[in-house]
């Protein structure tokens, strides 16, 4: 399945970003990448991706702040965001959801599970 719009992968670790981007492309997605929260917001506005995969620990502007800012911007507040984080506690999931994320995935990423989340949120986002 290919999303009508690209998936935006926001990850500051080059190795993680490249590996995940390659796997997403092999799964049929067009992938945009950003290295920090400000780049993510800029790409969300200019490209309107189907789904954003947002690392939460980012330079320049962290993922928590970028998510909150996205939810306050009428142009992009409808775009689904999946938090990607090494923080695996329930309180971390709650914090991500409170920041405006639609879902949550821990690192290392369970790729089949992440694909299911992307597909579900992309379909829901297309209906918004």
């Amino acid at each position: 399945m290919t999303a009508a719009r690209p998936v935006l992968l926001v990850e500051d670790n080059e190795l993680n970003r490249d590996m995940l981007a390659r796997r997403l492309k092999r799964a049929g997605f067009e992938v945009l990448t950003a290295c920090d929260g400000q780049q993510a917001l800029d790409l969300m506005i200019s490209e309107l991706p189907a789904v954003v995969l947002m690392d939460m620990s980012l330079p320049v502007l962290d993922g928590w702040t970028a998510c909150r800012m996205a939810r306050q911007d009428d142009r992009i507040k409808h775009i689904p965001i999946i938090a990607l984080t090494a923080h695996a506690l329930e309180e971390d999931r709650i914090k991500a959801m409170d920041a405006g994320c639609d879902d949550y995935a821990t690192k290392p990423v369970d790729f089949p599970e992440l694909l299911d989340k992307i597909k579900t949120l992309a379909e829901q986002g297309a209906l918004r």
Side-chain angles (χ1 to χ4, degrees), residues 8-19:
L8 173 57
L9 171 60
V10 188
E11 171 63 68
D12 63 319
N13 180 290
E14 184 178 357
L15 191 63
N16 290 345
R17 185 176 60 247
D18 290 346
M19 180 274 305

Side-chain angles (χ1 to χ4, degrees), residues 42-63:
D42 293 344
L43 283 170
M44 287 174 77
I45 291 166
S46 66
E47 303 299 324
L48 298 174
V51 176
V52 176
L53 305 176
M54 179 80 73
D55 182 19
M56 301 315 277
S57 300
L58 295 166
V60 182
L61 185 66
D62 66 43

Side-chain angles (χ1 to χ4, degrees), residues 57-126:
S57 300
L58 295 166
V60 182
L61 185 66
D62 66 43
W64 314 106
T65 304
C67 287
R68 282 192 282 279
M69 291 174 72
R71 294 304 177 228
Q72 294 171 1
D73 188 323
D74 287 339
R75 298 169 293 178
I76 58 175
K77 68 182 181 183
H78 65 281
I79 299 172
I81 301 172
I82 300 172
L84 295 180
T85 180
H87 304 287
L89 300 175
E90 177 63 13
E91 62 197 42
D92 297 312
R93 187 192 69 76
I94 292 168
K95 182 179 175 186
M97 303 308 263
D98 287 347
C101 294
D102 296 279
D103 210 330
Y104 177 87
T106 57
K107 297 178 188 178
V109 173
D110 177 330
F111 194 70
E113 181 180 297
L114 182 61
L115 281 179
D116 286 342
K117 290 179 181 192
I118 292 169
K119 291 174 184 176
T120 297
L121 287 173
E123 289 169 9
Q124 290 173 359

Side-chain angles (χ1 to χ4, degrees), residues 23-34:
R23 291 187 78 185
L24 288 165
K25 287 175 184 175
R26 280 196 305 264
F29 293 97
E30 178 185 344
V31 181
L32 302 171
T33 60

